[in-house]
Amino acid sequence: MKTAIITGITGQDGSYLAKLLVSKGYKIIGTTRSYNQASNEKLKYLGIEKEVKIEESDMSDVFSTIKIITKYQPDEIYNLAAQSSVGLSFEQPIGTLQYNITSVLNILEAIRMVNPKIKFYQASSSEMYGKVKKLPITEDTALHPLSPYAISKATAFWTVVNYRESYNLFACNGILFNHESYLRSNNFFVKKIIRESIAISKNKQEILKVGNIDIKRDFGFTPNYVEAMWLLLQHPTAEDITICSGKSIYLRDIIYYVFEKLNIPKSKMMVDEKLFRPVDIEDMFGDNSKAKNVIGWNYDLDFFAVLDIMLAEELKNFKD
Ligand code: NAP
């Protein structure tokens, strides 16, 4: 039986990845910085809370990191814990950089010290590419981060590459584009649009306030994207791979689609310039050929079909 540590188990990706690894017979240890009643809510929702051992551990503390890796001697570590919001990173740039960079360095050092054979997955992000000159984005596209979050992920990305090249560790970057699900935190765009639109349709909210919606993004479905994380660590060689749908859509079109499904007039939406980011990327979409050809990851879901799934799940769980 393989053992995996998943950091950030309380998050969207951690929970779906745990579900996948449970189905593959792994023993799973999930970390959270601070255990409370809410820590296993998402695991509970997926019906796997009993299959995951949750441990309190803070990866920004090197001793805590070494302790948990020594205790469980995992075959694989999936590092998903991070301050993951671009918007919040402009409010908390120092905290975002400190945690998102130090945690990766600590885990890599701990792997070198405890067992250099442990395979390591780092949750890198398409946000690292930022100001791109040419689309689609591939693994060869130059990084030009446009937010503290993106800077933290770019630094962590190069740290992983450096430890792989310097110490021959099996360390990989999964460079994921936006992926969504019912378990996404409420402050992220798609989840916010769906939740607030349902509230409007039930007369619980008057208006939907949004920031810049005339930008395009490449969106996918989380349960499919976590499969790529696992595939990456099963490949014979350590790689950095972009995981994306290969298409971008306007944020405005997502809102109009959800509004139409719920019979909400467009006049219920208000653009608020206070919600604009200091800098934003106009269009981003990636090329998933390396994922397809090298690790055998296939993705062909249309994002409007994902919206249908998310809407149905949100409606089912909506509490008046
Ligand atoms: P998430 O739901 O925000 O979960 C990340 C987990 O990290 C949280 O559950 C939290 O666990 C921990 N965390 C939150 N804030 C933190 C902070 N300030 N310092 C340290 N830990 C913190 O994120 P996700 O959507 O599952 O994403 C997983 C990883 O993939 C993240 O590293 C994210 O940056 C990256 N990523 C996500 C996407 C996407 O579209 N979802 C795309 C590219 C990359 P505790 O509070 O329990 O410790």
Side-chain angles (χ1 to χ4, degrees):
M1 184 194 257
K2 277 192 190 171
T3 299
I5 291 180
I6 301 176
T7 75
I9 194 77
T10 56
Q12 165 192 236
D13 290 12
S15 315
Y16 277 109
L17 178 64
K19 186 175 180 194
L20 177 79
L21 298 190
V22 163
S23 75
K24 296 192 179 295
Y26 279 62
K27 172 181 171 189
I28 300 163
I29 293 86
T31 70
T32 172
R33 289 164 300 166
S34 165
Y35 188 81
N36 57 48
Q37 286 300 84
S39 296
N40 69 355
E41 243 170 35
K42 292 180 180 164
L43 299 172
K44 244 189 195 159
Y45 182 78
L46 296 175
I48 52 160
E49 78 278 13
K50 294 199 175 68
E51 326 282 341
V52 176
K53 169 110 182 86
I54 297 189
E55 283 271 12
E56 263 186 0
S57 183
D58 181 351
M59 300 298 151
S60 65
D61 176 332
V62 73
F63 293 112
S64 174
T65 311
I66 293 169
K67 204 166 117 193
I68 193 162
I69 297 178
T70 306
K71 179 172 175 189
Y72 289 103
Q73 297 287 331
D75 300 281
E76 298 169 3
I77 299 176
Y78 296 85
N79 183 36
L80 310 182
Q83 191 301 92
S84 66
S85 157
V86 175
L88 189 64
S89 80
F90 284 104
E91 309 294 323
Q92 300 177 358
I94 298 169
T96 303
L97 263 78
Q98 266 170 352
Y99 187 88
N100 292 3
I101 297 169
T102 311
S103 55
V104 177
L105 203 49
N106 285 346
I107 299 174
L108 289 165
E109 278 296 333
I111 289 176
R112 284 184 65 206
M113 189 189 258
V114 178
N115 174 8
K117 296 239 170 316
I118 296 171
K119 294 183 174 182
F120 178 69
Y121 172 91
Q122 165 61 10
S124 286
S125 164
S126 57
E127 289 288 329
M128 302 184 309
Y129 295 113
K131 202 171 183 176
V132 282
K133 294 200 176 79
K134 208 173 123 210
L135 292 169
I137 291 166
T138 73
E139 292 76 6
D140 296 325
T141 300
L143 308 185
H144 186 144
L146 291 175
S147 65
Y149 169 77
I151 294 169
S152 75
K153 288 289 181 177
T155 309
F157 170 90
W158 280 115
T159 307
V160 170
V161 174
N162 179 254
Y163 272 63
R164 181 171 70 224
E165 293 175 349
S166 305
Y167 307 114
N168 203 23
L169 298 187
F170 195 104
C172 305
N173 286 291
I175 310 158
L176 271 60
F177 284 59
N178 298 70
H179 45 281
E180 310 297 323
S181 74
Y182 172 69
L183 295 184
R184 183 74 138 144
S185 302
N186 294 340
N187 53 327
F188 285 88
F189 178 78
V190 178
K191 176 82 175 175
K192 172 187 143 109
I193 298 307
I194 292 178
R195 274 172 56 85
E196 295 195 13
S197 300
I198 291 176
I200 292 171
S201 74
K202 294 189 183 287
N203 296 320
K204 304 264 173 215
Q205 181 171 327
E206 196 48 44
I207 208 121
L208 176 70
K209 268 194 199 171
V210 291
N212 181 8
I213 50 170
D214 293 312
I215 54 172
K216 296 175 87 180
R217 290 288 180 274
D218 180 329
F219 288 101
F221 191 39
T222 307
N224 298 58
Y225 278 40
V226 297
E227 200 196 348
M229 299 178 183
W230 175 75
L231 284 171
L232 200 48
L233 293 200
Q234 311 318 305
H235 189 67
T237 52
E239 305 282 343
D240 303 319
I241 297 194
T242 55
I243 305 299
C244 55
S245 77
K247 285 177 234 148
S248 59
I249 59 175
Y250 276 108
L251 304 194
R252 183 180 288 276
D253 290 342
I254 292 175
I255 297 173
Y256 287 169
Y257 185 80
V258 173
F259 270 24
E260 200 183 309
K261 287 273 163 179
L262 297 170
N263 292 318
I264 301 171
K266 288 177 184 163
S267 57
K268 290 276 183 185
M269 184 190 79
M270 190 186 112
V271 174
D272 180 355
E273 290 199 3
K274 283 196 223 90
L275 299 175
F276 280 33
R277 283 179 184 158
V279 267
D280 224 333
I281 310 160
E282 260 174 46
D283 188 8
M284 286 185 86
F285 63 93
D287 173 351
N288 57 24
S289 341
K290 185 172 177 189
K292 199 173 185 176
N293 299 331
V294 175
I295 58 169
W297 182 74
N298 288 300
Y299 186 83
D300 60 3
L301 264 180
D302 180 82
F303 195 63
F304 293 109
V306 175
L307 286 175
D308 288 342
I309 299 170
M310 288 179 68
L311 250 175
E313 211 165 343
E314 198 72 49
L315 278 166
K316 192 176 79 191
N317 293 304
F318 189 84
K319 287 190 184 68
D320 279 320

